[in-house]
Amino acid sequence: MVGKIHVLDELTVEPGRLDEVRRLMTEGYMAGAKARGMTLEETWLTPPIELFDQPNTLVYLWSVPDAAAWWAMRGAAGRDPGVSEFWAEVDALCVERQRRFLVDDQIGEEE
Amino acid sequence: MSRTLALVTLADGADPRRVAELESAAVLGKHMPGTVGGGHYTWDGIDDPIPPGFEDVADVDLVELSLIDGSLADPGFAGEIKRTLLLRVEPDAPADSVAAFERDLMAMPDHIPAIVNWTLSRVVGPSGTRWTHSWEQEYYTLDGLKVDYMMSPHHWGLIDGWFDPEMPRQIVDLELAHVYHATGRSVLAAALG
């Protein structure tokens, strides 16, 4: 069985818009994510200083306890139209965005 | 080759005696608990699923399917679960994304052995239908669907990205018909025959 699942959000932000995206994430996403069972593990900035003439990437690492919790998170997001509206607002400030799911490398896919 | 499939929703307050008559008279799949968005029954391969005179029906969502691909791993499949997912790819989805989505779906049986027989079809009619694809599978057990299929990392970690409103690559509308019913025969054997 798959245990803890990490959710990795990488937001590559238009130059000069970092603070707006940070504020959106803090004020528009964090509480809802917590309510959907997501735990914020880490946040990073790369390159590690704001570049005003090139994009920076904000990285958010979340976790959920297992696959059942992943589906609970996914179901709650699907039932809340505000979630997709939120990401549309963020995407307007980004040149690229990715979300990836990660598991411990020792846990392979069942064959 | 095309075939038809219908999702049928009974009217509120449908007469139980007439419903019992319907269930005994028609070849149908009565949806099990956990079904979402698809009414009460699935009829496979029947052009006119409602017998004349039966009026206690609120909706018949009939679709015409054109097979993209499928596999009949067990032609003698004798049960027990047939599952249908009707979905709508957004009309503005890029063609290469739609092709990748279809390839990803058709790779699922390689990663989830509980899927016995399967088909992926395009919905080609009637005009005005809201659906674009039908993704159908047959399983030997209900756990094959509810555990092996739903909890597979291939499902939630890869496939669902096409459906997830939080993912940039989402192309599938959130409203789905995810229905399943017990069966004692292979519906898909006929579709792939």
Side-chain angles (χ1 to χ4, degrees):
Chain A
M1 292 292 286
V2 171
K4 189 175 188 178
I5 298 166
H6 283 98
V7 180
L8 186 71
D9 283 325
E10 296 171 80
L11 285 55
T12 303
V13 181
E14 295 272 10
R17 314 303 291 268
L18 267 184
D19 281 345
E20 288 174 77
V21 174
R22 286 190 183 109
R23 188 166 56 250
L24 274 175
M25 289 296 290
T26 302
E27 297 175 2
Y29 193 76
M30 301 282 184
K34 186 175 180 182
R36 292 190 292 276
M38 302 169 75
T39 299
L40 182 60
E41 303 268 5
E42 301 280 356
T43 62
W44 292 285
L45 173 69
T46 185
I49 187 168
E50 182 167 8
L51 307 175
F52 292 97
D53 59 346
Q54 297 178 53
N56 281 84
T57 300
L58 288 168
V59 181
Y60 296 80
L61 182 68
W62 314 83
S63 69
V64 293
D66 52 30
W70 188 96
W71 278 112
M73 168 195 77
R74 166 69 174 80
R79 290 188 294 273
D80 181 357
V83 172
S84 52
E85 291 166 9
F86 167 82
W87 285 118
E89 197 173 352
V90 169
D91 287 344
L93 302 173
C94 292
V95 295
E96 188 181 7
R97 178 170 67 86
Q98 286 197 60
R99 168 167 283 195
R100 290 187 255 208
F101 305 113
L102 304 91
V103 294
D104 189 295
D105 190 35
Q106 298 304 307
I107 303 170
E109 183 180 316
E110 59 262 45
E111 294 296 330
Chain B
M1 186 182 78
S2 67
R3 66 189 174 97
T4 56
L5 179 150
L7 302 181
V8 178
T9 304
L10 294 173
D12 289 341
D15 182 339
R17 288 172 304 167
R18 290 175 56 80
V19 170
E21 288 174 21
L22 174 72
E23 291 182 357
S24 65
V27 178
L28 56 80
K30 185 175 184 179
H31 295 162
M32 300 172 80
T35 285
V36 175
H40 297 96
Y41 305 103
T42 302
W43 270 269
D44 274 287
I46 302 170
D47 290 334
D48 186 8
I50 305 301
F54 186 84
E55 297 169 350
D56 292 2
V57 167
D59 184 57
V60 178
D61 192 355
L62 182 77
V63 289
E64 183 182 356
L65 305 178
S66 176
L67 183 70
I68 298 173
D69 204 354
S71 174
L72 197 60
D74 182 0
F77 178 86
E80 67 183 47
I81 300 296
K82 159 78 190 311
R83 185 261 188 156
T84 301
L85 180 71
L86 288 180
L87 61 93
R88 183 175 83 100
V89 170
E90 300 285 4
D92 59 351
D96 57 348
S97 293
V98 178
F101 165 66
E102 292 173 347
R103 280 196 305 273
D104 279 352
L105 277 182
M106 291 188 287
M108 289 188 89
D110 294 336
H111 298 271
I112 306 171
I115 297 172
V116 182
N117 301 324
W118 61 272
T119 59
L120 179 64
S121 305
R122 290 195 184 89
V123 175
V124 294
S127 62
T129 182
R130 66 183 311 277
W131 308 113
T132 61
H133 292 75
S134 179
W135 170 229
E136 298 167 80
Q137 310 97 49
E138 291 171 338
Y139 299 88
Y140 291 131
T141 67
L142 185 56
D143 273 358
L145 170 63
K146 299 191 87 167
V147 180
D148 298 65
Y149 178 85
M150 292 305 296
M151 294 300 172
S152 167
H154 188 265
H155 188 173
W156 56 259
L158 179 69
I159 298 297
D160 192 71
W162 298 111
F163 296 78
D164 184 348
E166 298 207 73
M167 295 287 275
R169 67 185 172 99
Q170 179 206 12
I171 59 169
V172 179
D173 187 85
L174 285 172
E175 280 194 39
L176 306 166
H178 158 61
V179 301
Y180 49 98
H181 59 81
T183 181
R185 67 189 177 96
S186 174
V187 170
L188 299 180
L192 291 163

